[in-house]
Amino acid sequence: MTQPTDPEAVGGRLPGLEMHRFAATGLTAEQDPVMARMLTALERNFYEEVPSGPALDQVLQLHGRDERTYLGVYDAGVDPAETDPVGTYASFVKPLQTGVGRQLDAFLISEVTVRTTHRRRGILRAMMTTELDRAVAGGWPVAALSASEATIYRRFGFGVATVRRAVQVDTRGEASLMAASTGTLRMVEPKELAGLGPALYARALAQTPGSVGRVAAYTVTETDSWRSKNDGRGTGLLAAVHEDDGGTARGYVTYRFSGWKQEVPTITVTGLVATTAASFRALWDHLVHLDLIQRVEWGFAPQDGLLENLLTDPRRVKTSDIADQLWLRILDVPAAFAGRPYHRDGELVLGVTDPLGHAAGTWRLSVRDGTADVVPLPEGGAAAAETAEPDTTPPDLTLDVAELSSVYLGGVSAELLRQAGRLTEHRPGAAAELTALLAADRPVFCMTGF
């Protein structure tokens, strides 16, 4: 049987404060008061309603399924089982899709908060540097997070690798598609997705560079079974599954009606997973032809233009917001670049700065036949023969690890970063070469939050 949390003291870097690390157990709040206190603190710090009773136990069980590790910061001398932490930090490992058919394990970071009363005491920096050091020691080549504020994490080496957008689709009149949809759509009870959702998401993940494995909470979100909402009996979420002509499920969508009091009858898409282009078309054919509905809203859409090209009238699609989604942080340069696919050969020397030192150095990136080899070089330039003087030719490019992390998956252009003044090009054309070398074969998008 899983044992209640036993906090492990972490080396002190914070005067008057203590850090403790522990693993989520999946036990109930009564069985594991330390984890219950942790969850209470982070929800309050995010101004969210704190679950209680069976709802709290459900969240604790889901976090246990994710095998999360928590770092809590406490006032010195208190008992973590009886006191809320003043700083919270969660980490866990999920696959990051680096290209079609290629994955590597990523160190995911979530639930990072600092209580307002304890700001400017170095808590965030202590938690972040401590756990990134642990990630490096554990051999994870990249770390990833999604940020509530856009100006916090670049100082720790994170760069924006993917974005998402919110769209509104006008479905009044005849909102037709350019190509006919195939297969069949059937309405299902959300709970039926418990057997379909994870497998379909895994197939879609394998095709979507920039996506990560989903957290366990999605098994509750898409089945409309949160204990904190109507005691898990459902809240009116609607779901439809697309099957191909052979009867095999290829995708699904969940959505919610906004109510008749809204001036424009609207449904909001809460989840959409398609494993084929035909499935994506069929799901949207269903959405734009819902009876009595005049607008479809989707707050977690890719910015790839596919939706506009789907419709005969692309002006029906309006983007209301664009936001950063996946922030990446390269920790091991050779392992990270060896862990993604390539579609052309090339060679560049990159000078990388890193305030924490993990990725700092001069690196030769060589790609042959779809495989990258990255080797460290002497400071100042390319490797030289043993009998020759060290080659002090500068790198082709110099960039911070945050910029390197942004361009890594191919969703952000190194050439655009050069134009923005965010990297230094020592050889004309080198930024454009890096952009081409890292180009992805599918649009880069993170399909999930975490």
Side-chain angles (χ1 to χ4, degrees):
M1 176 179 175
T2 303
Q3 298 298 311
T5 292
D6 183 17
E8 168 199 353
V10 179
R13 302 182 184 182
L14 298 165
L17 300 169
E18 297 174 351
M19 284 196 293
H20 295 276
R21 183 184 295 121
F22 46 88
T25 60
L27 297 175
T28 67
E30 183 178 1
Q31 294 168 322
D32 195 347
V34 174
M35 266 305 306
R37 288 279 189 177
M38 170 64 70
L39 187 64
T40 296
L42 66 91
E43 293 289 4
R44 284 175 175 163
N45 289 346
F46 278 127
Y47 306 107
E48 299 286 353
E49 182 179 352
V50 178
S52 61
L56 175 58
D57 292 343
Q58 182 185 48
V59 177
L60 293 173
Q61 189 267 335
L62 292 168
H63 288 356
R65 285 171 54 189
D66 284 329
E67 299 183 346
R68 300 184 183 218
T69 295
Y70 281 88
L71 194 67
V73 177
Y74 301 82
D75 288 318
V78 304
D79 182 351
E82 298 181 356
T83 308
D84 292 351
V86 300
T88 69
Y89 183 110
S91 61
F92 48 101
V93 177
K94 296 285 184 182
L96 167 68
Q97 199 71 28
T98 58
V100 176
R102 293 292 298 274
Q103 294 181 345
L104 52 75
D105 284 341
F107 183 83
L108 302 191
I109 299 165
S110 184
E111 301 173 311
V112 180
T113 73
V114 176
R115 188 182 295 174
T116 303
T117 56
H118 287 66
R119 293 180 61 198
R120 304 191 185 283
R121 294 178 62 176
I123 293 175
L124 174 61
R125 175 164 292 277
M127 293 192 300
M128 186 64 70
T129 55
T130 295
E131 293 303 89
L132 288 180
D133 286 347
R134 186 171 70 87
V136 171
W140 290 293
V142 297
L145 55 80
S146 55
S148 56
E149 297 180 54
T151 58
I152 296 176
Y153 293 104
R154 192 183 186 283
R155 56 184 150 152
F156 301 110
F158 288 86
V160 177
T162 76
V163 299
R164 58 177 169 82
R165 62 173 176 159
V167 297
Q168 296 179 343
V169 182
D170 181 356
T171 62
R172 292 172 296 182
E174 180 55 32
S176 57
L177 273 63
M178 289 291 294
S181 61
T182 58
T184 58
L185 262 291
R186 62 183 179 92
M187 298 300 296
V188 301
E189 288 298 318
K191 286 182 172 56
E192 189 173 333
L193 295 177
L196 287 173
L200 287 172
Y201 182 87
R203 292 179 204 164
L205 170 66
Q207 304 170 35
T208 311
S211 286
V212 299
R214 289 197 305 183
V215 297
Y218 274 88
T219 61
V220 176
T221 300
E222 67 187 14
T223 57
D224 201 19
S225 54
W226 279 113
R227 295 298 298 272
S228 60
K229 299 176 181 178
N230 197 25
D231 198 29
R233 292 190 294 269
T235 60
L237 189 70
L238 300 166
V241 172
H242 170 251
E243 296 175 345
D244 64 19
D245 291 332
T248 300
R250 297 299 185 186
Y252 64 93
V253 62
T254 58
Y255 52 95
R256 194 180 302 278
F257 178 52
S258 63
W260 293 115
K261 291 184 178 180
Q262 188 160 332
E263 181 178 355
V264 178
T266 301
I267 63 105
T268 300
V269 174
T270 59
L272 191 152
V273 173
T275 63
T276 66
S279 184
F280 187 84
R281 289 196 303 272
L283 292 171
W284 271 99
D285 195 19
H286 170 73
L287 292 170
V288 301
H289 289 113
L290 289 169
D291 288 343
L292 305 178
I293 299 303
Q294 298 180 14
R295 182 167 62 202
V296 178
E297 296 182 344
W298 187 17
F300 211 97
Q303 194 186 12
D304 57 7
L306 177 56
L307 190 53
E308 286 85 347
N309 280 284
L310 208 64
L311 300 171
T312 55
D313 181 4
R315 294 184 182 181
R316 288 179 175 271
V317 182
K318 303 295 184 185
T319 297
S320 58
D321 182 54
I322 298 175
D324 51 84
Q325 175 55 27
L326 185 73
W327 291 67
L328 283 185
R329 207 289 185 197
I330 292 177
L331 299 169
D332 183 329
V333 176
F337 281 87
R340 55 149 293 167
Y342 300 85
H343 305 285
R344 64 176 65 200
D345 293 344
E347 184 172 287
L348 287 151
V349 176
L350 308 175
V352 181
T353 60
D354 183 346
L356 302 184
H358 301 307
T362 302
W363 307 92
R364 181 186 295 281
L365 169 63
S366 302
V367 178
R368 296 289 182 273
D369 300 323
T371 301
D373 180 48
V374 180
V375 296
L377 303 180
E379 288 297 322
E386 292 183 3
T387 57
E389 292 295 323
D391 186 345
T392 57
T393 302
D396 299 313
L397 293 167
T398 298
L399 67 172
D400 187 79
V401 64
E403 274 64 53
L404 184 67
S405 301
S406 286
V407 304
Y408 166 65
L409 293 173
V412 175
S413 164
E415 170 59 19
L416 288 182
L417 294 187
R418 181 197 69 80
Q419 294 179 32
R422 294 178 57 179
L423 58 80
T424 301
E425 186 179 68
H426 303 292
R427 177 172 60 79
E433 289 179 25
L434 182 59
T435 299
L437 190 63
L438 299 179
D441 53 355
R442 295 281 183 91
V444 176
F445 178 62
C446 186
M447 299 189 297
T448 184
F450 57 90

